[in-house]
Amino acid sequence: MENTNKSNNPLTILLASPRGFCAGVDRAVEIVKKSIKKFGTPVYVRHEIVHNKHVVKELEKIGTIFVGELDEIKDKTRPVIFSAHGVSKEVVKNAQLQNLTFIDATCPLVSKVHREAEMLNKQGYHIYLIGHENHPEVIGTMGQLDDGSIDLIQTKKDVYNIVLPNNEQKFAYITQTTLSVDDTAEIIKEIKTKIPNIKGPIKEDICYATTNRQNVVKAIAKKCDLFLVIGSENSSNSQRLVEVAKKSGCTNSFLMHENADLPIDKILTCKQLGLSSGASAPEILVENVIVQINKVRGTKVEEISTVEENVSFKLPRDLQ
């Protein structure tokens, strides 16, 4: 049966810009490709290089083997790449003990947080890290220092439960780079109330790409009755975009991960659809979703831009 919506009632898609790959993801993916070009195949990667199944599968096709831990590497003569999320010092030490050739694809903005943690620790600060438990970036950041040097704060409730020592001690906070800007601001407000003299980062730790993508989603979501974010389920920044869209007025906001079905019933009835993608989602996935929507309903795409990004990060010297 022909869909009358397709010809008579085109759907306006408000396409967020910026969206998709950030400079850190671009760099990490390029590191894998350049490593294969330099060293041949296979090249190992510890954990997903970035949190996107499509990217992982495409890199597997050209000779990348993804492993959970270094012990799973069968051929110790082959290079291993550390993911964009960063690793603990223990992982680096293990790689050295096993005489592995390793290449660090940690996003420079995550490395910045690592250096902050080390500097604050040397200056005698006890550190609170605002972030999500078990996220690779958080594990890597906490793993820069000895156990007990950093406490994890996930919610405002965690702030209320902080028990301060009786002795005089200096306190500082740092954050994961892919958090909700607004939620993090609320936690920081609470932690400053609890510990008025707490030291914060000179420049905020939430990265430019996370902030920019959330800002454009805020601008669009209030105009939409359906919002789709393309990204993997384990992608923190993609999950945060869905939350931001909901808080900004579009309660019908969904993550379009690899196994998600297009919400066709909602697409057929909505007036304006917002569309964005997480910082680890390639543009081809956005294009594919628009093609799928076009199969059930005609579309008119309007790109909404709030800022132009021109950030890039250099590759490691050995791969330049």
Side-chain angles (χ1 to χ4, degrees):
M1 186 174 69
E2 184 182 355
N3 175 15
T4 55
N5 276 322
K6 189 162 184 178
S7 55
N8 299 333
N9 188 19
L11 171 64
T12 299
I13 296 177
L14 301 182
L15 183 60
S17 178
R19 64 183 177 275
F21 272 16
C22 62
V25 167
D26 256 332
R27 176 180 179 270
V29 172
E30 193 64 16
I31 283 173
V32 178
K33 292 178 178 178
K34 293 275 189 183
S35 296
I36 288 172
K37 190 172 181 180
K38 178 174 180 177
F39 300 106
T41 59
V43 164
Y44 288 89
V45 177
R46 182 186 177 273
H47 293 179
E48 293 183 349
I49 186 70
V50 297
H51 281 160
N52 188 271
K53 303 297 183 188
H54 178 88
V55 172
V56 167
K57 286 179 179 178
E58 291 300 304
L59 292 176
E60 284 177 332
K61 288 177 185 176
I62 62 172
T64 308
I65 298 174
F66 291 89
V67 295
E69 297 300 338
L70 300 180
D71 293 342
E72 297 170 37
I73 296 174
K74 293 178 180 177
D75 185 351
K76 304 293 185 183
T77 67
R78 304 304 303 162
V80 59
I81 299 167
F82 299 149
S83 80
H85 308 104
V87 297
S88 68
K89 287 190 172 179
E90 189 67 25
V91 171
V92 176
K93 190 186 298 180
N94 285 341
Q96 291 168 336
L97 287 171
Q98 296 182 51
N99 291 318
L100 293 169
T101 299
F102 60 89
I103 302 145
D104 191 358
T106 301
C107 172
L109 299 180
V110 175
S111 296
K112 163 191 170 285
V113 179
H114 290 183
R115 291 193 300 271
E116 279 177 342
E118 288 185 294
M119 181 188 69
L120 290 165
N121 181 254
K122 285 177 182 175
Q123 293 173 350
Y125 286 89
H126 182 77
I127 302 166
Y128 293 101
L129 169 61
I130 302 169
H132 297 296
E133 189 174 19
N134 296 325
H135 188 279
E137 183 185 328
V138 166
I139 293 170
T141 299
M142 296 187 76
Q144 299 306 303
L145 302 175
D146 294 335
D147 289 348
S149 301
I150 303 179
D151 287 331
L152 182 63
I153 299 291
Q154 298 190 79
T155 64
K156 287 193 285 186
K157 185 179 178 181
D158 291 338
V159 178
Y160 305 149
N161 292 334
I162 291 174
V163 178
L164 296 173
N166 293 325
N167 59 317
E168 285 292 323
Q169 191 171 3
K170 299 188 293 184
F171 299 96
Y173 72 86
I174 56 178
T175 82
Q176 185 179 332
T177 63
T178 55
L179 300 175
S180 160
V181 174
D182 293 341
D183 290 350
T184 305
E186 289 181 18
I187 293 173
I188 290 170
K189 184 179 177 182
E190 290 298 330
I191 206 167
K192 285 182 174 178
T193 301
K194 179 95 177 189
I195 313 171
N197 295 325
I198 194 166
K199 179 181 174 66
I202 296 170
K203 185 179 180 184
E204 66 176 30
D205 293 331
I206 295 177
C207 82
Y208 78 95
T210 298
T211 303
N212 290 346
R213 280 149 189 72
Q214 289 181 19
N215 283 342
V216 68
V217 166
K218 285 179 192 175
I220 292 174
K222 57 190 174 186
K223 303 174 184 177
C224 300
D225 42 0
L226 178 63
F227 205 105
L228 302 179
V229 175
I230 299 164
S232 289
E233 289 179 287
N234 60 345
S235 167
S236 175
N237 71 84
S238 300
Q239 294 279 11
R240 301 296 79 75
L241 289 177
V242 176
E243 293 171 2
V244 167
K246 288 180 178 179
K247 287 186 177 181
S248 300
C250 186
T251 53
N252 283 319
S253 297
F254 303 95
L255 181 70
M256 291 300 299
H257 55 84
E258 189 181 42
N259 299 317
D261 293 324
L262 203 64
I264 292 173
D265 289 348
K266 295 183 185 297
I267 287 169
L268 290 174
T269 56
C270 76
K271 296 175 182 176
Q272 288 203 124
L273 182 150
L275 184 60
S276 186
S277 55
S280 48
E283 185 63 14
I284 185 67
L285 298 183
V286 177
E287 295 168 4
N288 288 346
V289 165
I290 293 174
V291 167
Q292 291 302 311
I293 294 171
N294 263 310
K295 288 180 180 178
V296 296
R297 186 171 177 184
T299 60
K300 180 176 64 175
V301 179
E302 294 180 17
E303 190 164 36
I304 308 295
S305 179
T306 51
V307 67
E308 188 172 335
E309 289 182 350
N310 54 6
V311 178
S312 63
F313 297 130
K314 289 182 179 178
L315 295 174
R317 190 172 300 169
D318 291 348
L319 296 177
Q320 288 177 14

